Amino acid sequence: MDIVGNVLPQVLKDEATEDKGEMARLQSFVGAIAVADLVKTTLGPKGMDKILKPTGPGQEMTHITVTNDGATILKSMYVENPAAKILIEISKTQDEEVGDGTTTVAVLAGELLREGEKLIQKRIHPQHVIAGWRIARDVALKRLRDISSENDIKSQEFHNDLVKIARTTLSSKLITQDRDYFADLCVKAVLRLKGSSNLDYIQIIKLPGGTIRDSYLDDGFILKKQITIGCKRRIENAKILVANTAMDYDKIKIYGTKVKVNSMDKVAEIEAAEKEKMKNKVDKILKYQPTVFVNRQLIYNYPEQLLADSNITVIEHADFEGMERVAAATGAEILSTFDAPERRDQVLGHCDLIEEIMIGEEKMIKFTGCKKNEACTIVLRGSSIHILDEVDRSIHDVLCVLTTTVKNRRVVWGGGNSEMQMAAACEEEAKKVQGKQALAIEAYARALRQIPTIICDNGGYDSAELIQNFNVELQKGNLTSGLNMNDGTIGDMQELGVKECMRVKEQAVMAASEAAELIMRVDDIVKCAPRKRDRA
Amino acid sequence: MSLAFDDYGRPYIILRDQGQKKRMKGLEAYKSNILAAKAVANTLSSSLGPKGMDKMLVSPDGDVSVTNDGATIVEKMEIQHPTAKLLVELSQSQDAEIGDGTTGVVVLAGKLLEQALTLLDKGIHPLKISDGFDRACDVAIKHLETISEEIDIQANEHEALIQAACTALGSKVVSKRKRELGKIAVTAVLDVADLARRDVNLDLIKIQTKTGGSVEDTRLISGILIDKDMSHPQMPKEVNDARICLLTCPFEPPKPKTKHNINISSAEDYKKLYQQEQQYFVDMVKLVKASGANIALCQWGFDDEANHLLLQNELPAVRWVSGTDVELIAMATGARIIPRFQEITPEKLGKAGCVKEVQFGTSNERMLVIENCQCTKAVTILIRGGSQMIVDEAKRSIHDAICVIRNLIKDNRIVYGGGSAELACAIQVLQYADEVSSVEQYAIRSFADALEGIPCCLADNCGLNPITSVAQAKSRQLKENNPRIGIDCMELGTTDMKEQRIYETLSSKKQQIQLATQVVKMILKIDDVIAPDDY
């Protein structure tokens, strides 16, 4: 119905709804802020974890997740509010792009919108708010780049920076007690990659049992497989042939083939031929003179026995990722045909020692002294699978942050220092800008300052007092000051050694502003009628 | 449903199952149609102009998109009303033909219908109204041509084109970076444009999206970007001076299209068949290698064994390249698409300066870039942004900008934006109205009012007082005889759109007015709607 009471014809489908103007805006603010509020208690070193419980029947549905990782929480939530979905989306992108800061990005976007809502209530047009935010964002990012420092990638300082960054990232996670230990472990792993950012080469193996402290970095490469029975369990100076070939039976790939015989003799003949074909293949493989044979696919008993007879250790059914890693680590080529034994030096991988080891209850194969020393394995131990999963996520975050730092090399001080400095820059800018955009710039500064505020609140400290003192310290010119979350005071970040990766902050600020802007620009929400599903 | 009776007073059944059908006739039908169409136009009207707002659309599956693009909004709204659907098509035909101005056309149609409603209330026959609109439309179009200006697209490093692209991008979420994105769009179009024929093949501009980074990180890649990686992890990641073999046959044993059976009845047959199968792979790779190719791109899959043979022969290869990419690569590198291995010859290979794998972010996604292609310069615009919604919207915006630039290359006449062109036409149409002595006069005058509705709507969206600012602009246009006075949306302090450099293409404006008039005429001719009740 329109204002005068005329009944308007129905334009949209039956269950579709359209919200306009204030209603639409209200809806998106409420949704986005709710999501931000939900994850904001996980922020900072004193942040709390969340239990995620899947809904629905079935065994696998009872598996719960305990986590502190923003992206994981948001990903598993089912929300209907479209603005909330945008926040979840940016958190996911943050995860893909830099791996950490997934909570920060959602909280920052939420705080921006909370400030934006107040401005709208003061009758400031959304476009003016956006214009102000855009100025503020540029100023903030400029300040962020200005305060960041860069060290030479080979220098000891850079190495120290990496350890500090890893420690900072870990401090908000479950394993904060052992953060020195894990920081060191992760830095070592990342430095092995020698500047490449391919995290595939760092394998993480999770094994329940023991304590978190029992986790370790293995400089070799561990394959979660067993050596086939009847083969040697320890091979020194191994020559490895990595293959991806059918070793069960070679089916004929020519289309439409069928075996049709008219007597039992013929069956036997064909069986023999089949066997011979496999024998040929094995013979070809033997010509390469490997001492270890790793295949992606299943190996049937017959070829297995043939290989074992020639004193070759057989590892079957290595999954594709595992195989790529073996190939990368040992410098082997993945073979599918075996007609060029003269290339054996090129295609065979090499490592000093292969042995079967026991970690906890499980048998695994360990490759040490590989030709290309890039791959390594982090073995995680812990008392339950939930803890291991969470540790895995934390380690993944750290590894991502570290590789990003290795690529970008710029670091900033942690403990809320960068946010406060950015906020200060915005406030300085606001004083110079004419027009109501200035209000939006101030709002942006307040939103940025919310991040350290929330970190304080989560730690149970008096945030109002701390943030004010923090600000004063910065004004005095102590540019390295930051929140000391252990004592609830303002400390010197240089002394405490709290550093963060600049790229993570940069991406968080950019993504959060873009998302807030996107939501702010909306004045109309059309929800289409949900697709009808036939329930079987 | 009305009933008809015969001489004996028995009711006729005219429509089958007429009890179950809805029917609207006469004035009721006109009004219902107009109101429905107006409802759609109203939704769009707040998206018009540089300060226009976006719409958030939730699809039936719950996916969210946020957009400012008229055609996308009406398409995703899933409109059900039959007349309102006409407006959806209107917006889409503007999109297909011109690519830009999809919001404006719907808003104009809405304003025209609004005017038509009052005329109907006055008791003017719908056909008279549509005749009047038609005549007014002709006058407006003629006037548009007289006030249009030719611009030199080459001058000052294509400054005019960049400005036009900026105008198109100004209303979008990416407006902050409109200059950078405008430049990217202009460079992209000029790279592939055939200036002699004044034609641009937009197929040569590939727009690839990738979430992450920020809109600023959007860049132009002088080459083709495909979302694939090498088929074998150990193949070289970079091929310089590439000779590309473009295949549409899989590296697998052939599959004849007719159904057949090969029956094996003896061990010899079995062995022979095996050997033949092995030979297939060797031959295939040999044929590709023999032609001198150093990279193979294939639309289909590879068998494991073939894949390894390729690696062994140092022939990097890519599998599952999509059909459109295959065509694009063929055009750009001058390669012939080869459907059979037997037909590979050296002259069918395409050439490119470099093919290499590039990586983004932490999630280990890789893409292939083909640079410095031999023939035409195909380009890719790689769009980055904080989330999928932003990236999608940026893609739509850049598409709009590209279309505007293409239109300018085809026809370099422009009119000025900011509602100035509409206002100038309105003045002209109003003058013409007084010369007409029949009933159409009223319709023509209303047409002028509807045209004024566009600057009015612009001013409204920018937070200006619509009536004052339109009145001011109009009186200045008349006083100074300057058709470039419009609405100062960006508050730059001048209402002369030439100074603000708000360029719109003549073809787009013309098309907008013509299409909107056509649709309104069509809606006005409907006097009876029959539809099933539950529809």
Side-chain angles (χ1 to χ4, degrees), chain A residues 352-367:
Chain A
D352 292 342
L353 179 68
I354 296 177
E355 59 184 337
E356 199 172 72
I357 50 163
M358 293 274 289
I359 306 174
E361 291 283 289
E362 263 187 88
K363 280 185 198 159
M364 309 214 173
I365 308 164
K366 181 171 156 187
F367 298 70

Side-chain angles (χ1 to χ4, degrees), chain A residues 7-14 18 20 25 28 82-83 85-86 89-90 93 95-99 125-128 134-135 137-138 141 197-200 244-245 250-261 266 269-270 273-274 276-277 281 284 288 296-297 320 324 327-328 332-340 343 346 400 403-404 407 503 507 510-511 514-515 517-531 533, chain B residues 32 35-36 39-40 42-43 46-47 50-64 66 68 76-81 84 171-177 210-217 232-234 253-256 258 260-268 270-271 273-274 276-278 280-282 303-306 308-309 311-312 314 359-366 384-390 393 461 463 491:
Chain A
V7 180
L8 290 176
Q10 185 185 7
V11 175
L12 298 171
K13 285 193 181 154
D14 269 350
E18 185 178 2
K20 291 187 173 196
R25 226 167 259 137
S28 35
K85 277 187 187 156
I86 293 182
E89 184 72 26
I90 55 167
T93 314
D95 194 30
E96 276 165 29
E97 186 70 12
V98 289
H125 194 271
Q127 292 283 4
H128 283 126
R134 285 177 173 179
I135 300 172
R137 191 193 80 148
D138 284 351
L141 285 179
S197 58
N198 193 347
L199 287 179
D200 280 354
N244 174 17
T245 185
D250 251 348
K251 73 168 183 279
I252 298 173
K253 287 164 190 160
I254 293 174
Y255 188 67
T257 329
K258 248 187 201 163
V259 179
K260 240 184 201 168
V261 287
K266 297 270 187 185
E269 265 175 44
I270 290 202
E274 215 172 59
E276 197 189 317
K277 189 171 142 190
K281 199 170 193 174
K284 278 190 208 161
Y288 283 85
R296 181 169 91 91
Q297 300 173 26
F320 205 82
E324 269 186 37
E333 202 172 275
I334 301 171
L335 297 184
S336 293
T337 58
F338 309 94
D339 293 322
R343 292 178 69 243
Q346 289 170 46
C400 288
T403 46
T404 313
K407 254 198 262 172
R503 177 83 188 104
Q507 176 70 26
M510 286 197 296
E514 269 179 11
E517 195 178 305
L518 196 68
I519 295 172
M520 200 65 167
R521 282 175 65 101
V522 170
D523 75 336
D524 195 323
I525 300 178
V526 180
K527 275 192 199 142
C528 295
R531 198 184 299 286
R533 281 177 225 283
Chain B
S32 156
L35 281 175
V40 177
N42 271 347
T43 301
S46 67
S47 284
K51 297 268 171 89
M53 305 294 280
D54 290 1
K55 308 280 172 262
M56 194 182 266
L57 301 149
V58 185
S59 81
D61 298 319
D63 298 328
V64 181
V66 178
N68 181 283
K76 296 206 170 173
M77 270 170 87
E78 298 208 341
I79 287 167
Q80 184 198 30
H81 195 282
S171 58
K172 314 286 182 190
V173 72
V174 293
S175 59
K176 181 164 180 234
R177 297 287 148 188
K210 176 88 185 67
T211 54
S214 154
V215 177
E216 277 101 285
D217 301 332
H232 196 288
Q234 287 163 329
K255 280 183 191 166
T258 44
H260 70 289
N261 277 324
I262 303 171
N263 288 338
I264 301 172
S265 49
S266 73
E268 285 87 70
Y270 181 84
K271 279 181 204 161
L273 205 62
Y274 172 65
Q276 201 183 351
E277 171 203 304
Q278 295 294 305
Y280 269 132
F281 297 133
V282 177
D303 191 87
D304 279 346
E305 287 183 42
H308 174 251
L309 277 173
L311 172 74
Q312 199 176 328
E314 285 161 10
Q359 198 186 354
F360 300 100
T362 61
S363 55
N364 213 4
E365 277 178 64
R366 301 190 198 96
R384 308 296 310 271
S387 68
Q388 192 60 47
M389 293 105 192
I390 291 178
E393 175 67 355
N461 286 347
E491 290 165 49

Side-chain angles (χ1 to χ4, degrees), chain B residues 6 8 10 63 131 252 255 306 515:
Chain B
D6 67 2
Y8 303 100
R10 287 176 305 203
D63 298 328
D131 276 352
E252 277 164 14
K255 280 183 191 166
L515 283 179

Side-chain angles (χ1 to χ4, degrees), chain B residues 410-456:
Chain B
K410 274 188 179 164
D411 178 357
N412 63 350
R413 283 176 297 171
I414 54 143
V415 290
Y416 291 95
S420 64
E422 283 90 353
L423 215 49
C425 287
I427 293 169
Q428 193 67 26
V429 171
L430 215 51
Q431 273 174 12
Y432 170 72
D434 295 338
E435 295 163 19
V436 179
S437 56
S438 56
V439 186
E440 281 95 337
Q441 192 193 80
Y442 286 90
I444 295 170
R445 203 169 281 142
S446 300
F447 190 89
D449 285 345
L451 280 174
E452 267 175 35
I454 297 279
C456 218

Side-chain angles (χ1 to χ4, degrees), chain A residues 227-439:
Chain A
I227 294 176
T228 311
I229 301 155
C231 298
K232 273 205 289 186
R233 290 281 181 269
R234 182 186 162 89
I235 307 104
E236 279 174 34
N237 209 359
K239 293 192 182 62
I240 306 158
L241 189 116
V242 184
N244 174 17
T245 185
M247 291 294 271
D248 37 3
Y249 71 102
D250 251 348
K251 73 168 183 279
I252 298 173
K253 287 164 190 160
I254 293 174
Y255 188 67
T257 329
K258 248 187 201 163
V259 179
K260 240 184 201 168
V261 287
N262 45 20
S263 74
M264 284 307 285
D265 294 351
K266 297 270 187 185
V267 177
E269 265 175 44
I270 290 202
E271 218 183 321
E274 215 172 59
K275 215 168 179 182
E276 197 189 317
K277 189 171 142 190
M278 187 48 73
K279 176 98 173 52
N280 282 338
K281 199 170 193 174
V282 172
D283 284 345
K284 278 190 208 161
I285 292 170
L286 288 178
K287 282 214 187 97
Y288 283 85
Q289 297 167 329
T291 50
V292 179
F293 178 74
V294 183
N295 193 16
R296 181 169 91 91
Q297 300 173 26
L298 198 73
I299 305 178
Y300 268 16
N301 289 352
Y302 174 64
E304 190 178 286
Q305 175 209 331
L306 286 177
L307 288 166
D309 283 349
S310 328
N311 224 353
I312 293 174
T313 302
V314 182
I315 302 166
E316 64 171 344
H317 228 233
D319 53 89
F320 205 82
E321 263 180 36
M323 212 184 48
E324 269 186 37
R325 284 201 195 107
V326 172
T330 61
E333 202 172 275
I334 301 171
L335 297 184
S336 293
T337 58
F338 309 94
D339 293 322
E342 67 280 359
R343 292 178 69 243
R344 65 180 290 265
D345 290 336
Q346 289 170 46
V347 300
L348 289 192
H350 176 267
C351 81
D352 292 342
L353 179 68
I354 296 177
E355 59 184 337
E356 199 172 72
I357 50 163
M358 293 274 289
I359 306 174
E361 291 283 289
E362 263 187 88
K363 280 185 198 159
M364 309 214 173
I365 308 164
K366 181 171 156 187
F367 298 70
T368 24
C370 299
K371 192 151 101 185
K372 282 190 187 155
N373 214 0
E374 285 177 355
C376 59
T377 306
I378 297 174
V379 180
L380 296 179
R381 306 301 311 274
S383 51
S384 84
I385 193 75
H386 299 133
I387 292 179
L388 283 176
D389 283 345
E390 176 63 1
V391 174
D392 178 20
R393 278 189 290 271
S394 315
I395 297 279
H396 173 258
D397 278 8
V398 177
L399 293 177
C400 288
V401 173
L402 289 179
T403 46
T404 313
T405 319
V406 170
K407 254 198 262 172
N408 179 277
R409 305 227 293 277
R410 305 198 76 94
V411 290
V412 289
W413 299 109
N417 179 292
S418 53
E419 283 89 357
M420 292 295 282
Q421 296 235 37
M422 282 193 275
C426 291
E427 272 175 356
E428 284 160 30
E429 183 68 23
K431 286 173 195 154
K432 294 181 219 154
V433 172
Q434 281 202 334
K436 36 195 165 184
Q437 286 95 318
L439 288 174

Side-chain angles (χ1 to χ4, degrees), chain B residues 186-227:
Chain B
V186 170
T187 324
V189 174
L190 287 174
D191 273 351
V192 301
D194 183 351
L195 288 177
R197 281 200 304 128
R198 294 194 146 203
D199 190 25
V200 184
N201 184 357
L202 288 187
D203 287 345
L204 290 173
I205 303 176
K206 193 178 170 195
I207 304 183
Q208 181 83 40
T209 60
K210 176 88 185 67
T211 54
S214 154
V215 177
E216 277 101 285
D217 301 332
T218 299
R219 58 196 160 132
L220 184 71
I221 294 163
S222 56
I224 302 166
L225 194 73
I226 49 175
D227 197 358

